[in-house]
Amino acid sequence: MSGFSKQQADHLAMMLDPANVSTRDGMSYIEQWWAIMMANKIFGFDGWSRETVETKPIYDEPRKLSSGDGFHVGYSAKVRVTVYAGERVIVREGSGFGEGIGKNRPQQHESAIKEAESDAMKRALITFGNQFGLALYDKKKEFVGRAPAANTNVEPKADTDEGPSAELEKLLGELTGKEWTVSTLDEWAKTPATQEAIKALIEPEHKRFRSQYAHTLMSLKQPVAAE
């Protein structure tokens, strides 16, 4: 027995909506924020976790840029995803690669590590099915398409009867799927796009967003213990 509820299992087996697929250099993929949002939606905010098991530098080389001398940095990463399905604990691992190209060497190391971790997390989540990009590995794309509306709802996780709205899903996906500082989080919250999305929320969802935002902000303000 899988341990997943019927609603969760049905959602994992659904076709991947092409509207949620991005393309770059001829390659189709799902973005990190979308993968995190779907994990939160299907497994629950407290129903899964991710852990970076390992990062390794691959290369750090000088690179000629149009603006002058720079650096080309590459990293590999391994990420472990743990999902709690009923009484079962499911652990999957994925490996990924990332690179950074630019003039600021430390920033390129940071960029390469983050990209490698994101790639590894998505490769771990992809083992859970179409919603995490598995459908894109089929050359015929038979599981990429719009599912009937009656089959699109998961077991509700929000305080509404119909599940979280698209606005709430996107806001929470961005909120939990990016690396923030206090200032960048504040800037994001004040952008017109974010403000419009917040205004579109109904009251129970507005409360849920405020709670998650406050939790994220408090975690950023926690003092770092000296070593």
Side-chain angles (χ1 to χ4, degrees):
M1 186 173 181
S2 70
F4 289 120
S5 68
K6 184 180 184 302
Q7 291 89 343
Q8 288 174 316
D10 287 347
H11 201 93
L12 289 170
M14 280 171 51
M15 299 178 73
L16 175 62
D17 191 331
N20 302 319
V21 177
S22 299
T23 304
R24 181 174 58 202
D25 297 330
M27 298 293 292
S28 298
Y29 65 98
I30 61 169
E31 296 186 23
Q32 176 184 224
W33 72 267
W34 172 260
I36 292 174
M37 184 182 73
M38 291 308 297
N40 287 338
K41 179 176 182 179
I42 297 172
F43 306 134
F45 287 94
D46 58 351
W48 75 289
S49 64
R50 64 175 183 176
E51 173 191 0
T52 299
V53 178
E54 178 183 72
T55 58
K56 283 185 178 181
I58 305 300
Y59 52 81
D60 181 349
E61 303 170 343
R63 179 76 173 261
K64 288 291 183 182
L65 307 174
S66 58
S67 57
D69 294 335
F71 301 92
H72 187 190
V73 178
Y75 270 82
S76 68
K78 179 182 290 185
V79 168
R80 178 179 297 133
V81 168
T82 303
V83 173
Y84 307 97
E87 297 181 354
R88 291 189 59 194
V89 177
I90 303 172
V91 179
R92 305 282 171 81
E93 291 187 349
S95 297
F97 172 78
E99 61 181 355
I101 302 174
K103 301 186 72 171
N104 187 306
R105 194 174 192 175
Q107 284 185 359
Q108 304 321 310
H109 278 267
E110 180 182 13
S111 176
I113 290 172
K114 287 182 178 179
E115 185 178 319
E117 289 176 331
S118 172
D119 190 36
M121 180 199 70
K122 290 192 292 183
R123 289 180 183 275
L125 283 171
I126 204 172
T127 61
F128 289 99
N130 296 332
Q131 299 308 306
F132 298 102
L134 180 62
L136 299 176
Y137 281 74
D138 175 15
K139 293 182 179 180
K140 296 181 180 180
K141 301 292 189 296
E142 292 183 356
F143 295 96
V144 179
R146 298 186 185 278
N151 296 328
T152 59
N153 291 331
V154 233
E155 190 171 11
K157 297 292 182 182
D159 296 326
T160 64
D161 293 334
E162 297 181 355
S165 65
E167 289 82 5
L168 179 61
E169 287 182 349
K170 185 172 183 179
L171 284 169
L172 293 178
E174 292 182 359
L175 191 57
T176 59
K178 295 183 179 180
E179 298 290 337
W180 298 106
T181 64
V182 172
S183 60
T184 57
L185 181 64
D186 182 63
E187 290 173 2
W188 170 78
K190 292 178 180 177
T191 62
T194 302
Q195 287 293 310
E196 286 298 317
I198 293 173
K199 288 179 183 178
L201 301 177
I202 61 176
E203 180 50 38
E205 293 188 331
H206 199 280
K207 180 179 178 181
R208 180 173 171 184
F209 171 75
R210 292 198 307 268
S211 176
Q212 183 62 47
Y213 182 87
H215 174 78
T216 303
L217 183 61
M218 286 179 63
S219 68
L220 294 173
K221 290 183 176 180
Q222 290 293 327
V224 179
E227 295 182 357

